[in-house]
């Protein structure tokens, strides 16, 4: 397998959108029709609340998450198309 390369993983979404705007890059945002009912919306809301309380909390979670080891076989659901 080929490792993923994420050059903007430390950048906030707001910064990426501003960069695209000022560089006149084509940027569009659409939301999956199932997104409002997805469980990850609860987690996203929690992260936004944490970010409002402490600005570096999301970045700190990302740094600590990369230190965790993940088992070779992780049970996942098959994703549907939006």
């Amino acid at each position: 397998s080929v490792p993923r390369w994420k050059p903007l993983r430390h950048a906030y979404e707001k910064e990426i959108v501003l960069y695209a705007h000022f560089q006149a890059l084509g940027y569009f945002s659409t939301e999956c029709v199932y997104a409002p009912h997805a469980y990850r919306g609860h987690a996203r809301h929690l992260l936004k609340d944490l970010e409002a309380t402490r600005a570096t909390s999301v970045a700190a979670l990302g740094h600590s998450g990369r230190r965790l080891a993940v088992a070779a076989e992780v049970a996942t659901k098959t994703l549907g198309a939006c």
Side-chain angles (χ1 to χ4, degrees):
S1 81
V2 177
R4 294 177 76 185
W5 187 59
K6 301 177 186 177
L8 300 174
R9 71 176 175 208
H10 296 294
Y12 292 100
E13 184 178 1
K14 291 177 188 177
E15 294 171 347
I16 296 169
V17 171
L18 283 172
Y19 177 81
H21 174 74
F22 288 115
Q23 294 295 320
L25 301 174
Y27 174 81
F28 66 94
S29 176
T30 58
E31 186 175 45
C32 177
V33 295
Y34 303 110
H37 307 293
Y39 182 75
R40 73 185 304 175
H42 298 291
R44 183 176 289 122
H45 184 70
L46 172 68
L47 289 175
K48 286 184 180 185
D49 288 346
L50 284 172
E51 190 75 17
T53 304
R54 182 174 162 232
T56 59
S57 59
V58 174
L61 282 171
H63 289 299
S64 63
R66 281 187 288 283
R67 293 186 187 130
L68 296 174
V70 177
E73 294 181 23
V74 178
T76 59
K77 293 172 121 181
T78 303
L79 298 176
C82 288

